[in-house]
Amino acid sequence: MFSHDELTPPEREVWAAFPEGRRVDLRTGTPEDDDVAGGGQWGPERTVRAAVIAALVLGAGTARPGVAACLRLSGARISGHLGLAGVEIGHPLWFEDCWFEEGVDLFGASTHSIAIVGSRVPGVEAGSIRIEGRLDLRRSRLESGPASPFHRSVTALSLINAHVSGAVSLNAAEITAPGAWAVSAGGLVAEGGVYCRDGFVAHGEVRLMGAQLPGGLFMNGARLERPAPPAGWPSPWTTPWPRHSSSPRASPPTGRYDCGVPGSRTT
């Protein structure tokens, strides 16, 4: 819990708005000042601690009868680590044009719709999450952060064994993990499909082994830039791989893809 005196002015604004689901917009309206790429330079007037957000989501905010609580925050610098692993989140979360200082951990959480739109995040861990709604990461820039204890490799976006009742939207997102896993989504179930359109770019491997996508997989115009194979691997483009080889599979080559597969199931 935080007392009123412990909160900064922007945090007090978020705290007051949460029970009514009102959006707090900390953007200035000046494009150069609101460019998320420079969010690391935003000052205390635009900074909200991740611990304050977690406290609200976990029940510190006072609910008001007849109003649906929701966290809606735009143009903020989120300081610290937003750790909500294993938590049952009872309210939708919406972040727009925000700059996250550290990654977001939602491993094993249960929640409603989550949106992190047009934002910069150093890694999203959402393995084994259960979302009754959508996961919306449109226009966001996800970068690989420190390796997670749940993975053998650095991963920018993990959706391993996640279950999403709606769609997973990665439209116009850029996910970067050179030499590692940009998207690791083995065993993902996304009933509304996965959308990687409108200029989606992945720098690193994209893994969907065993995913079930009844709503389809759509990659119209997507760009996948694979990592270089480790030293000593044979080139997959010059040396055929044994059909029953124990060697790891190579990634597809860099290129632009147009793919729409309704009712997809990957193996």
Side-chain angles (χ1 to χ4, degrees), residues 7 122 191:
L7 300 175
E191 298 179 24

Side-chain angles (χ1 to χ4, degrees), residues 182-210:
V183 180
S184 184
L188 165 69
V189 178
E191 298 179 24
V194 173
Y195 294 81
C196 303
R197 303 188 297 195
D198 303 332
F200 168 83
V201 180
H203 305 276
E205 293 193 44
V206 175
R207 297 192 172 198
L208 291 163
M209 296 180 65

Side-chain angles (χ1 to χ4, degrees), residues 52-64:
V52 172
I53 294 172
L56 282 170
V57 169
L58 296 176
T62 304
R64 298 182 183 177

Side-chain angles (χ1 to χ4, degrees), residues 11-34:
E11 290 171 349
R12 291 172 188 169
E13 191 175 353
V14 173
W15 200 277
F18 173 76
E20 298 179 355
R22 289 187 285 108
R23 184 177 71 168
V24 173
D25 193 343
L26 301 178
R27 292 173 292 194
T28 66
T30 304
E32 54 268 28
D33 293 336
D34 292 333

